[in-house]
Amino acid sequence: MAKHSKKSTKKFEKNHLKDTIERRKEFAKIKQRQQIKAKKQARHASDYAKASDDEEEKQLPKDNGRLANDADKLKDMTVDEFFQGGFEIPEPTKKASKLAKIKEAKAKSGKRKRDAPQDEGDSELGGGESDVSVEEQPLEVDSPSEEEAEERLGAHREDLDALQEKDPEFYKYLKENDAELLDFAEDGDLAEVDELSEDEPLKKKKKKGKTVEPLGEENDDDDTEVTMSMVKKWQKAMTEQHSLRAMRQVVLAFRAAAYVNEEDGKEYKYTISGPEVYHQLLVVSLQHVPEVLGHHLPVKETASGKVRFSTDTKKFRTLTPLLKSHATSVHHLLENLSDASTIKLTLASILPLLPYLLSFKKILKNLIKTVISVWSDPSSTEASRINAFLLIRRLAIISDPSLREAVLKSTYQGLIKGSRNTTIHTLPGINLMKNSAAELWGLDPTIGYTTGFTYIRQLAIHLRTSITHPTKDSYKAIYNWQYTHSLDFWSRVLSTHCSPATNPHLKSAAASPLHPLIYPLVQITLGALRLIPTPVYFPLRFHLTRAMMRLSRSTTTYIPLAPSLLEVLQSPELKKPPKPSTLRPLDFATTLRAPASYLHTRVYQTGLGEQVAELLAEFFAVWAQSIAFPELVIPPSVLLKRWLKEVSSPPTPSAKHTNSQAKGRGNKNSKLTAAVALLLQKLDANAKFVEERRRKVDFAPGNREGVEGFLKEVRWEDMPLGAFVMGMRKRNEERERVLEDGRRREEEERRRGRKGDVDGAEEEEVEDVDMEDGQGVEGEDDDE
């Protein structure tokens, strides 16, 4: 049931709501002015106390004598004389009362005099201790006022929170009609920043016919509409003098520009006059605000990449609202940008602000989520993604462990979100994300291990659920692009940070803190690879095999991948004769599931055979220099020879007269059989090369150093199998280049065709208009 408002609430809204809102607005403004005034008084009081010490010492004997005479008069007066005097009671002077307070404060502090035998005047001065007390007095008076102001602000926030709980309808009304009252501390005019600019020159040089005006605070600052002259004046003050006054005005104007298209009911100090002013204001604020902050709050960076600067200074506390306002405006602007150059400029402006935002984790987390969304968005350009990643990496370096863990988790989630749809157009961006994100897990190996273990365990849980609780669609949780890219991503992480080749400080792959994650990742990948062993999902098997091959090559970890590839050769898809087809070759790089139209066709069979031959060659090339290579290739060689014999066997005599077996038992695919026969020949040649070198060794199999150093002086490219793999890679690169050029030409022709269709439609419209006017008869005849 809907909650009805009370009768008293309705009566209050009708009769007193408007006045209450006005009073609260005035209260908020007065409170802010009082805070500024209190700080100014405190500063002037401290300066006055230092300057008046000498004057107080000179006037002290006179004041003491006058006070003594007044006391004697009171003692000598009778009651009648006292009442006849008209109640004129002698008052002590301000300086005397101040000295009395000092004496009383000294008595409370329990400090004793340095020199006991002193005259009466010196005892009242308190010796050397009085100087310290006079200097500290303004601080003792000033600090409670600031604390009381903060307490009042906190109490006001608590009242608003209590109002939200007790009367949510009234709070909602205030939020809709007076949102500035609810968040006055964040949407103020940041007037306290001006106090930090008192050392700036306030006057310009006089010009003819013009009055002298303060620099950075001309009369046009009072205008609500931002003009180009105002922006250029602010820019000049910020670049030449690092003016905080000008920066404050730019931040306020930039806040209005960031929310220019929002209909949230908020009123801002400035309004934007046109697109040119909007563009210039964005450029000035994004480029020069970080420069001014860097001048007034310098940041020191250590050799390890950590940043240090003092957050306890008065200047940082005063600039805190400005920092929060500017960061919030930049965050909102970044969420709504679509232009690549502006996104790049905005991301570049956030980079120097990161050290200052480390103290505001809530703002920083929201900001980094938006940056990660830019990095993972398929529509973002490569330059925007690189700038976003540089910002993410910078934050991961300078942040503390808790924030670094949040950055890694958000990055992984953005990667999974951005890899949902994989096409020939999005695949380069996805590979860029995987390669760049893999670098982050090496910045802090401890946090990298914990986060990696957590997400790899999640992959294992999904796989186990699909196996133990099989349903009609349970396999879809595994056989999709996000799961496949996730396994491939973790293989890149471990390949990057567990490889002694890319990390010289590692003596071996086992020395890396991430090395224990290799075994569970391999087990999960092999389980997912064999979940559905049908020809439809052979492309997915090839994707996972390449991921494991990368890991095996980088970490010198043996992973049994040959059996899964030989299973593809043993499938009926590669043994039976295919049916002819005019389909285009299947792109295995962007395919997980083969379409039904490709099954049992020569195009698909040839593509599978090429993939199997290439992957088997790449797998055995990893171990081409191993001293055990001849024994390693014996079982695969036997299976390959047997497969070649089966697919190349002629038809049986009894099958010559039957139509069902007229085609024989072979697949009749000479291109496929030739590729497998060539691979078998290279395996035998490499095995013989290793055997010849192995006969010359003088160490036993138990000598680990000798076994690992076998054939280290020979490059793997110079071996028979290595040379074959290098030639195959060059052919594949050339073929991919030709295919890419063909795709680009098709896209250009398609665009031209669309443009031609549009031009043709416009010409038809023109002809129709001409025929209506009695013209274009020839065009009508031609169309007929």
Side-chain angles (χ1 to χ4, degrees), residues 83-99:
F83 283 105
Q84 289 177 0
F87 300 95
E88 294 180 0
I89 301 176
E91 296 180 356
T93 61
K94 294 183 179 179
K95 295 178 182 179
S97 62
K98 187 173 183 179
L99 290 173

Side-chain angles (χ1 to χ4, degrees), residues 225-384:
E225 184 176 352
V226 180
T227 61
M228 187 63 72
S229 60
M230 295 169 62
V231 176
K232 290 183 178 179
K233 178 199 64 178
W234 294 336
Q235 181 181 4
K236 183 178 180 182
M238 293 172 67
T239 53
E240 295 180 358
Q241 303 169 10
H242 303 286
S243 173
L244 289 175
R245 284 192 180 93
M247 184 179 69
R248 169 190 163 228
Q249 302 299 332
V250 169
V251 169
L252 291 175
F254 178 67
R255 184 170 64 188
Y259 293 87
V260 68
N261 294 325
E262 299 294 327
E263 297 180 357
D264 52 1
K266 289 186 179 181
E267 294 184 0
Y268 301 99
K269 180 177 180 181
Y270 292 108
T271 57
I272 310 303
S273 59
E276 294 82 4
V277 177
Y278 177 84
H279 174 73
Q280 185 66 20
L281 177 61
L282 255 62
V283 172
V284 170
S285 58
L286 294 176
Q287 288 184 348
H288 298 295
V289 168
E291 294 177 359
V292 177
L293 288 174
H295 174 77
H296 291 279
L297 298 173
V299 178
K300 296 181 180 180
E301 185 172 356
T302 61
S304 60
K306 300 295 181 180
V307 294
R308 294 180 181 178
F309 75 99
S310 179
T311 59
D312 299 331
T313 60
K314 179 181 178 182
K315 182 174 288 188
F316 178 78
R317 290 195 297 268
T318 307
L319 291 176
T320 293
L322 185 142
L323 276 170
K324 289 183 177 180
S325 176
H326 184 66
T328 305
S329 301
V330 171
H331 174 229
H332 184 79
L333 177 67
L334 189 61
E335 287 181 328
N336 298 278
L337 285 178
S338 58
D339 181 62
S341 59
T342 310
I343 292 176
K344 183 179 178 181
L345 177 62
T346 306
L347 293 172
S349 70
I350 299 175
L351 195 61
L353 296 178
L354 290 179
Y356 309 112
L357 299 179
L358 291 176
S359 303
F360 319 119
K361 290 189 176 182
K362 184 177 180 181
I363 296 176
L364 191 58
K365 287 182 179 180
N366 294 332
L367 181 62
I368 204 64
K369 285 181 181 179
T370 305
V371 174
I372 290 175
S373 66
V374 174
W375 171 73
S376 61
D377 189 2
S379 61
S380 299
T381 61
E382 184 177 355
S384 299

Side-chain angles (χ1 to χ4, degrees), residues 488 491 529 539-553 561 588-589 610-612 614-615 618 732:
D488 183 70
S491 73
L529 186 141
L540 183 142
R541 178 175 295 203
F542 298 151
H543 281 286
L544 299 182
T545 301
R546 293 182 187 278
M548 290 296 97
M549 204 170 295
R550 180 192 305 110
L551 182 61
S552 178
R553 186 185 303 111
L561 297 174
F588 286 90
E610 292 176 353
Q611 291 291 317
V612 170
E614 177 185 349
L615 291 175
E618 290 281 356
N732 291 337

Side-chain angles (χ1 to χ4, degrees), residues 180-197:
E180 186 177 355
L181 176 63
L182 302 180
D183 52 359
F184 61 92
E186 297 176 358
D187 291 339
D189 59 354
L190 309 174
E192 297 181 5
V193 178
D194 289 348
E195 296 185 14
L196 301 178
S197 304

